[in-house]
Amino acid sequence: MKLSISDSVKKIPYYPKALMYGHEDGWVRLSSNENPYPPSEMVFESILDALFGINRYPGGEKELKDDLAGLYRLKGDNFLIGNGSNELIEMTFRAMKHDARNGVIVTESSFAFYDIAARIYGYETTKVPLEGLRTDLGKIAAAIDDRTRIVFLNNPLNPTGTIYHQEEFERFIGSLPPEVLVVVDEAYAEFAESESFPATLAFLEKYPVLVLRTFSKAYGLAGLRVGYGIGDTELVSFLERTKQPFSINLIAILAARAAVKDQPRLAAVLANNRSAKSFYYESLKALALEYVPTEANFVLVRLGPRADEITKKLFDRKVLVRFMGAYGLPNSIRISFGTAYENTRCIEELKRLL
Ligand SMILES: Cc1ncc(COP(=O)(O)O)c(C=O)c1O
């Protein structure tokens, strides 16, 4: 007997092999916007401590919420912890399910998992085009109708590294119907340097907004899978009802607690990111390649019609970057910032291929 699979699930792309490359020696892995540096030493110590507690179900989630509350000057009850922010994206879809409203709005080029989770939970996705490679909040507001349940914003935007600004968000959020939840995925917020990057947390009390952040990027814990949501306490307790108990393991929770405590380590990572950014700007200019100024830990580079071919040739030389065809940008690649050695390798290989 053959198992029947629904059409919406059949359409979800399947990339099992792509996930496996780059973990062996010799690969320069600049395709997933990871942190190229190991996390804080305090994280390693906390992992060793955690090992002595793994016979028990994981505790420590409340304490992690309290640590984050201290960092952001909020209450522990304003926080949700997830197995990566991906778990929280999924939880949001689950919790917000509504018979009469099943529309989700995302930008046309955006993180693929929003649409994947939307399909899994039976929502209909509307993709709103970018304007000059930026999220256009005016266009998003215009796309909202009486079926819209969730709007997914991502700031800085993966894959362009662009942002929308404080006053744009202020105008947008004030114009929304109360049945619509706005999820602001700020996975790369720590890297943003613009003074007009929105202070989204200031809107939590007054509007239905959930901010998502992660330990996978600036804190360098992608392999442990910890993300967090920040929202009004009522919204947080509502969403948390649909969360699996113990979905974050003890090692991850204790590592995240240690990472929050080591803010100097975070500052060092951000300084390295600034140097990598300058290196790419200068090197790409020298190669006469067009790029999008970025507020994140990656840069979108325009290579023209050879973008796919060049990505494959870089792959043959063990340099992984991301071709942007799946994001609707078939002339571009996205390069994540690596270590100085990795960045130099990437630019040298690009130069050779051009
Ligand atoms: C915009 C965005 N949101 C969320 C994630 C996933 O983060 P996590 O590792 O916390 O699940 C990513 C990962 O690349 C991302 O780019």
Side-chain angles (χ1 to χ4, degrees), residues 139-310:
K139 271 196 208 155
I140 290 187
I144 292 172
D145 60 21
D146 57 8
R147 298 198 53 79
T148 307
R149 186 63 166 153
I150 312 176
V151 174
F152 262 93
L153 302 177
N154 174 208
N155 207 36
L157 182 67
N158 176 12
T160 61
T162 55
I163 61 166
Y164 58 76
H165 303 282
Q166 168 82 13
E167 84 276 2
E168 292 172 278
F169 185 70
E170 227 168 285
R171 224 177 304 134
F172 168 77
I173 200 75
S175 72
L176 297 189
E179 297 85 358
V180 175
L181 175 69
V182 179
V183 180
V184 184
D185 182 346
E186 295 188 346
Y188 302 96
E190 289 89 349
F191 299 107
E193 294 185 294
S194 164
E195 281 182 9
S196 58
F197 186 76
T200 322
L201 300 182
F203 297 86
L204 301 185
E205 260 184 47
K206 210 161 156 209
Y207 300 99
V209 177
L210 178 71
V211 177
L212 298 183
R213 298 241 176 154
T214 181
F215 284 95
S216 298
K217 308 297 177 182
Y219 287 102
L221 300 184
L224 289 180
R225 317 298 302 121
V226 199
Y228 55 102
I230 319 171
D232 173 60
T233 53
E234 213 174 302
L235 173 68
V236 162
S237 76
F238 165 66
L239 293 174
E240 202 152 44
R241 281 168 212 213
T242 65
K243 181 168 148 38
Q244 279 214 32
F246 305 123
S247 64
I248 310 111
N249 71 71
L250 182 69
I251 296 173
I253 292 173
L254 297 192
R257 289 198 66 197
V260 171
K261 291 198 178 97
D262 196 349
Q263 289 296 313
R265 174 73 194 170
L266 176 67
V269 166
L270 300 184
N272 282 332
N273 196 68
R274 267 192 297 278
S275 317
K277 192 191 312 197
S278 312
F279 171 79
Y280 275 104
Y281 283 4
E282 278 170 32
S283 309
L284 294 167
K285 265 183 216 145
L287 294 175
L289 288 173
E290 216 180 295
Y291 62 85
V292 181
T294 179
E295 295 286 336
N297 64 341
F298 53 83
V299 63
L300 188 76
V301 183
R302 201 179 149 83
L303 294 179
R306 290 184 64 208
D308 191 17
E309 175 211 328
I310 289 176

